[in-house]
Amino acid sequence: MNDIRRGDAMLTDWRGAAQRFEAAVAGAVLGQEPIIRLVTIAVFARGHVLLEGDVGVGKTTLLRAVARAMGGAYERVEGTVDMMPTDLVYHTYLAEDGRPRVEPGPVLRSSEDLAIFFFNEINRARPQVHALLLRLMAERSLTAFNREYRFPQLQVFADRNRVEREETFELPAAARDRFLMEIGMEAPRDPATRRTLAFDPRFHDTDGLIGGIPTAILDPVRLGGIASAIQHGVRASEAIEAYVVALWEALVRPQTAGIRLPGIDDMAGLVQGGASPRGVAALVRAARVRAWLEERDWLVPEDIRAVFVPVMAHRIFLEPIHELRRAEIVPALCRSVFETVPAP
Amino acid sequence: MRLFALPLLALVLLAAGPAAAQLHGVEVRVPRTFGYFLGDLVEATIVIEAEPGFVLQASSLPQPGPVTYWLDLRRVEARQEGTRHILRLTYQTFYAAIDARSLDVPGFPLVLSSGTDHGATTAPVAVPSWSLGLSPLREVQPARRADPAEYLRPDGLGPRLDPVPARNAALALGAAALLALVSLARDRAWWPFRPRPARAFADAARRLAALGRGPESEQGYREGLLALHRGLDAKAGYRLLADDLDAFLARHPAYRPQRDGLARFFAASRLAFFGGSVAEARHRLPLAEAGATARALAVAERAA
């Protein structure tokens, strides 16, 4: 009963590949197993990921490692304040013969095979660039050179450091909603891991570290089909459907569910919006992948809980007065929701 | 106004002077002119008939206060009925008379005035004095008494009060106060209402035992599992999922001996609620076994 049905032997093989993928990334990025698990879930849910964290905790290393282990065409850009959307699309220069040339930019260079688009320091780019990215993420398409380009395998990874606020542009709510997950990354706490990270020379040379990862473990061309098979293969019982809807309701109307948070008098006005149907659908997608990785073909509440904060937290919009304390309120709210809603 | 059958004391017609034309008469009326004792109130009514258009000057009215050493003016009321001006004066006499005698209440002047476009006309009115007959309260030389206390009149009897309404009110208010205290104690969770630590597993075991007595059904099986889930939730203080079992047992070591039973329970519950296979779950963990786990937990709970 706990096994995937025989007809889905392919899914079992792919689970092995997923485990190899996780192990390969974990070899390069130490002490971040929960984050690697979330990224793996995002890969198999075909969702875009935004990594957020301090400077130097390994966001870029993790995403480079993921890109290498996944395989497929890979492009990377650095967000800057003077970047314009066209910088992503084409590149102009004077050739040796003195004639101007226009060549495809990072997004179009690999043409339609682009599997991973890695946007470093996304909050340094201007809103115009975010707008271009919005379409790229939502529709996986782009219009340039008088034709439409499609990127069926595209997955966007972005990172953002949360320390610097100068010369940065907050992502618009619509752009954040397009990210399947927003994962907070912190330096590992375990002393042994910290010692290794600080003293082992292997971790000082990032290029060598990334170069040591086995490449192309997952085939991006087939990932879409697998993702769809997972979504169809993992069943959700009536009880889990009711549970997710109850969680959703408690998140949007915490006062009705009897949730009280310290320091907030007006629970009714706390959550202004967000937690969209798209967000809840993304939650179930990610939870199904998690169930599949845990070798189950049915969902349990733990699957929902494991992906809830990365998938839902950035889609909740608080009353402006509480928005400044968002970093404490939203995790507390999510925790209270799980402590309040009965399962089963 | 007690103007009926009043003895006419004085009727003065001022025949001389320029004001005679405006003033028709001044009359002092009292209920009686004799038989007053020390401390009595005397009401005198002064009626002045004047030409139309005249009013009494308020400043000329007598002021309440002592009039003579034996007489006080207590109250003055003035009103007008057409051309008639009526003044009600209340005097109080303090004259301790030894024999019946008549004393003069002094008269006083008043001023009537009439304001027109060409100027004001005033007319003086002299209210005449009148006499008041005062009598002693007792004889001058009372009979000799052996005991001086006998000169005093006995004290008046106090009224007999009925204690029943006061007692009833006291009882009712006492009962209300007690009721308020009880509700306050309930609100503040004072002594009889102090909550006992909830026996979550005992409740769950009771529910499971009740379900075990009834006919076996899928619905009953689910309810039984839910009862134990709610017990675990109540004990943990949050919704306990299968993956949280180890953390829960680490925080509540008293239930650690039931680890296997709980793990089997969570596995069966997963199957029943989320795996969609109640029959399989019932096969793996019959309701009786869940009941036994709940009973063991309840025993540990009582000891903990």
Side-chain angles (χ1 to χ4, degrees):
Chain A
M1 195 64 218
N2 276 359
D3 301 317
I4 303 281
R5 282 155 295 178
R6 192 174 298 167
D8 302 329
M10 175 186 70
L11 281 180
T12 314
D13 296 345
W14 271 88
R15 192 185 299 127
Q19 281 155 0
R20 283 200 304 285
F21 169 79
E22 281 190 317
V25 177
V29 185
L30 232 54
Q32 299 287 15
E33 282 76 13
I35 309 277
I36 295 170
R37 171 49 65 98
L38 288 173
V39 171
T40 311
I41 289 171
V43 166
F44 283 94
R46 303 312 295 142
H48 311 296
V49 176
L50 177 63
L51 268 188
E52 190 185 50
D54 251 344
V55 184
V57 292
K59 300 185 295 291
T60 310
T61 312
L62 171 69
L63 293 184
R64 284 179 68 190
V66 166
R68 183 174 168 88
M70 241 180 95
Y74 162 76
E75 284 296 339
R76 166 175 175 174
V77 295
E78 311 295 320
T80 55
V81 71
D82 58 349
M83 175 186 256
M84 288 318 246
T86 48
D87 295 342
L88 295 179
V89 179
Y90 60 82
H91 171 55
T92 55
Y93 66 105
L94 283 177
E96 280 173 12
D97 54 7
R99 301 174 68 173
R101 296 275 168 83
V102 179
E103 295 218 332
V107 175
L108 300 183
R109 196 173 296 143
S110 307
S111 100
E112 308 203 338
D113 295 334
L114 184 64
I116 294 179
F117 186 71
F118 177 16
F119 204 124
N120 209 1
E121 303 264 9
I122 190 171
N123 56 338
R124 290 195 175 283
R126 290 173 163 277
Q128 297 94 310
V129 181
H130 295 160
L132 175 96
L133 213 58
L134 195 66
R135 172 157 178 212
L136 201 60
M137 290 198 295
E139 298 172 16
R140 293 192 159 92
S141 67
L142 186 69
T143 307
F145 302 122
N146 291 328
R147 58 169 278 223
E148 193 179 56
Y149 288 81
R150 302 208 144 268
F151 307 93
Q153 307 149 32
L154 178 70
Q155 187 170 17
V156 175
F157 288 108
D159 76 5
R160 160 170 86 159
N161 93 50
R162 63 167 167 232
V163 182
E164 279 178 301
R165 294 259 176 232
E166 294 204 352
E167 288 201 338
T168 61
F169 299 90
E170 192 49 56
L171 286 172
R176 296 181 80 175
D177 203 46
R178 297 297 196 277
F179 283 104
L180 173 74
M181 290 188 189
E182 194 169 307
I183 305 172
M185 194 166 171
E186 286 185 6
R189 293 281 176 81
D190 173 40
T193 311
R194 290 186 154 206
R195 211 159 31 216
T196 316
L197 282 175
F199 286 95
D200 190 340
R202 199 166 76 86
F203 293 100
H204 298 173
D205 173 17
T206 317
D207 289 337
L209 194 65
I210 303 295
I213 296 176
T215 184
I217 297 171
L218 310 176
D219 179 2
V221 179
R222 293 184 58 204
L223 266 179
I226 290 303
S228 165
I230 293 169
Q231 294 304 321
H232 287 104
V234 177
R235 284 179 290 115
S237 69
E238 225 168 87
I240 203 87
E241 284 173 4
Y243 181 60
V244 170
V245 171
L247 288 175
W248 189 7
E249 181 64 24
L251 191 66
V252 178
R253 274 174 277 282
Q255 82 285 357
T256 323
I259 293 173
R260 292 272 171 282
L261 292 179
I264 296 170
D265 300 326
D266 177 28
M267 285 303 291
L270 175 64
V271 177
Q272 281 215 321
S276 55
R278 176 165 54 200
V280 179
L283 176 72
V284 174
R285 271 181 80 79
R288 280 199 160 116
V289 177
R290 200 248 182 197
W292 168 72
L293 285 172
E294 300 269 324
E295 305 180 17
R296 252 183 288 107
D297 66 344
W298 34 280
L299 279 171
V300 295
E302 284 87 340
D303 296 327
I304 307 288
R305 192 172 63 177
V307 296
F308 192 82
V309 170
V311 175
M312 295 304 285
H314 65 282
R315 301 175 202 261
I316 304 168
F317 300 105
L318 304 178
E319 199 187 8
I321 195 168
H322 296 303
E323 197 64 47
L324 276 178
R325 291 205 302 132
R326 175 181 191 88
E328 331 162 26
I329 292 175
V330 171
L333 178 64
C334 293
R335 199 168 46 245
S336 312
V337 164
F338 277 95
E339 284 180 0
T340 311
V341 176
Chain B
M1 276 304 288
R2 284 178 289 173
L3 292 177
F4 51 92
L6 285 181
L8 186 74
L9 263 189
L11 177 65
V12 179
L13 281 169
L14 299 174
Q22 288 99 22
L23 189 66
H24 296 173
V26 180
E27 207 180 332
V28 179
R29 298 173 183 173
V30 284
R32 62 176 196 276
T33 55
F34 50 84
Y36 290 98
F37 295 109
L38 176 68
D40 279 358
L41 294 177
V42 186
E43 281 197 358
T45 308
I46 294 156
V47 181
I48 302 160
E49 287 279 0
E51 279 289 301
F54 279 86
V55 292
L56 265 175
Q57 257 183 13
S59 60
S60 69
L61 292 177
Q63 291 299 308
V67 179
T68 65
Y69 73 97
W70 58 273
L71 189 68
D72 276 10
L73 181 58
R74 296 280 299 270
R75 197 164 63 235
V76 178
E77 288 169 18
R79 64 192 168 86
Q80 191 172 358
E81 291 175 353
T83 59
R84 180 181 283 189
H85 304 277
I86 298 161
L87 211 58
R88 268 187 86 185
L89 304 175
T90 307
Y91 292 96
Q92 188 172 24
T93 164
F94 294 105
Y95 190 76
I98 301 173
D99 51 2
R101 65 174 60 189
S102 221
L103 291 176
D104 268 0
V105 176
F108 51 87
L110 289 173
V111 178
L112 286 168
S113 68
S114 158
T116 64
D117 293 344
H118 309 294
T121 313
T122 61
V125 181
V127 177
S129 67
W130 48 283
S131 67
L132 201 59
L134 294 153
S135 304
L137 283 168
R138 58 167 177 83
E139 66 269 48
V140 177
Q141 195 75 44
R144 271 190 91 78
R145 307 274 169 89
D147 184 359
E150 286 179 18
Y151 286 119
L152 301 176
R153 290 177 53 80
D155 290 337
L157 279 175
R160 255 190 116 69
L161 296 178
D162 185 7
V164 174
R167 196 187 59 201
N168 288 350
L171 283 176
L173 289 175
L178 206 67
L179 209 68
L181 181 72
V182 166
S183 53
L184 180 70
R186 190 179 151 73
D187 180 59
R188 294 296 157 96
W190 286 343
W191 162 63
F193 303 102
R194 191 179 298 163
R196 280 186 305 164
R199 296 236 164 119
F201 290 137
D203 289 348
R206 216 170 298 133
R207 182 93 187 96
L208 274 164
L211 286 168
R213 281 193 292 275
E216 290 234 342
S217 68
E218 290 207 349
Q219 185 60 27
Y221 183 74
R222 282 166 182 265
E223 276 179 31
L225 294 186
L226 279 179
L228 190 46
H229 268 300
R230 292 298 86 89
L232 284 162
D233 288 350
K235 191 48 84 180
Y238 55 92
R239 304 295 176 180
L240 200 73
L241 303 187
D243 286 0
D244 305 331
L245 179 58
D246 286 332
F248 171 75
L249 291 176
R251 272 185 53 202
H252 299 91
Y255 310 117
R256 221 172 273 167
Q258 298 306 315
R259 199 194 174 291
D260 288 345
L262 282 173
R264 284 157 51 75
F265 159 71
F266 273 115
S269 155
R270 258 190 180 183
L271 256 183
F273 288 106
F274 306 117
S277 172
V278 179
E280 168 85 9
R282 277 171 79 179
H283 175 68
R284 289 200 198 173
L285 182 93
L287 198 57
E289 203 176 314
T293 306
R295 272 197 303 282
L297 286 168
V299 169
E301 177 182 54
R302 219 163 293 137

